[in-house]
Amino acid sequence: MKKFLIILGVVIIVVGGALIYLNYMNYWPFQGDKIAGVPDGEIKNINADTVDVKTDPQSLLLAASGTVDYNVKAESVNVYFDVFKRDKRVIHELITMTGSDGETDLNGHLLWAIPGFEVFKPTEIRAKIEHGGAISQDNYIIPKGIFGMEAASTAQTQPFDDGKIEKGKQYMLQTWLFNKEPMESNDQDFSKEALRDREQTAILYIVFK
């Protein structure tokens, strides 16, 4: 009898722990209309650079791309493209967005891509937001002559970590940095002082409001 109770206790602990984990990660049977594998109020970085081109040949047609999953209560989800000359913003474009009049559950996916083969010479940005069966998508044609030809340049795709969503924070999808002098390859400082130290900066980002 004692052995049976011990085994029963272990089973209850294991099953209880598994149910708590499934609920926390929004897996079945607790998923509902949320994105599975993403805790409430969090963002998940699914970087397309990790995709094996042998199994996804379409990735060969894109200079850069990525996916972002999220479960959040917010008024809107917005994707912007900004370009700075030093610390002066010269372009601020809304690529696509979705939202409502008040705060609500905006659980979904963002898929974005830059067609072509040269990440430093992009001509177009495409973005699609999916949530609750609704789709918001658009494309933006990048004006010619926007990107600089400085000696030093670096680009990064989705350089952010999974975690709790901060309203108003810019989560970088793609960054381009241009300068006459060499730069740190992992430089992701976009403060006014850092912008002033570079010839040009361009950023594609998602922000929750």
Side-chain angles (χ1 to χ4, degrees):
M1 185 66 179
K2 184 177 180 180
K3 185 177 181 180
F4 171 76
L5 292 176
I6 293 174
I7 294 174
L8 180 61
V10 171
V11 170
I12 291 174
I13 291 173
V14 171
V15 173
L19 291 175
I20 291 173
Y21 175 77
L22 292 174
N23 182 49
Y24 174 73
M25 296 298 293
N26 290 309
Y27 286 124
W28 183 89
F30 305 102
Q31 182 178 358
D33 62 353
K34 297 179 180 179
I35 304 302
V38 183
D40 292 347
E42 294 199 10
I43 186 171
K44 186 173 183 180
N45 183 339
I46 303 176
N47 192 329
D49 285 349
T50 62
V51 174
D52 186 348
V53 294
K54 294 180 181 178
T55 59
D56 185 19
Q58 291 187 4
S59 64
L60 293 173
L61 305 177
L62 304 174
S65 63
T67 302
V68 176
D69 289 350
Y70 52 85
N71 288 319
V72 65
K73 284 186 177 293
E75 292 185 2
S76 65
V77 180
N78 311 268
V79 178
Y80 291 100
F81 174 65
D82 291 356
V83 177
F84 296 84
K85 296 288 187 180
R86 295 293 184 179
D87 60 343
K88 181 181 179 181
R89 188 166 68 182
V90 295
I91 290 180
H92 178 59
E93 289 288 342
L94 175 64
I95 306 301
T96 192
M97 64 86 65
T98 186
S100 64
D101 293 335
E103 191 172 271
T104 188
D105 287 329
L106 294 177
N107 310 314
H109 314 271
L110 163 68
L111 298 90
W112 65 273
I114 297 173
F117 300 97
E118 177 53 68
V119 71
F120 290 107
K121 296 180 181 179
T123 59
E124 181 184 2
I125 298 171
R126 299 175 184 173
K128 178 170 70 172
I129 296 174
E130 301 177 346
H131 77 91
I135 295 178
S136 175
Q137 64 181 0
D138 212 334
N139 69 312
Y140 172 68
I141 303 301
I142 300 173
K144 292 182 178 180
I146 289 299
F147 284 79
M149 300 299 292
E150 285 76 13
S153 58
T154 182
Q156 283 198 335
T157 301
Q158 293 188 189
F160 66 87
D161 298 322
D162 301 348
K164 283 291 183 183
I165 291 174
E166 297 179 35
K167 303 285 183 63
K169 177 180 177 178
Q170 298 175 346
Y171 291 91
M172 300 300 167
L173 304 173
Q174 183 68 41
T175 66
W176 298 264
L177 313 180
F178 300 90
N179 203 25
K180 294 179 180 178
E181 303 297 329
M183 300 175 291
E184 294 287 338
S185 60
N186 62 347
D187 184 3
Q188 291 299 307
D189 185 355
F190 299 100
S191 65
K192 198 171 185 66
E193 293 74 18
L195 291 171
R196 192 178 297 127
D197 290 338
R198 293 191 290 263
E199 294 288 337
Q200 186 179 28
T201 302
I203 54 177
L204 176 68
Y205 58 94
I206 182 173
V207 60
F208 302 87
K209 298 180 180 180

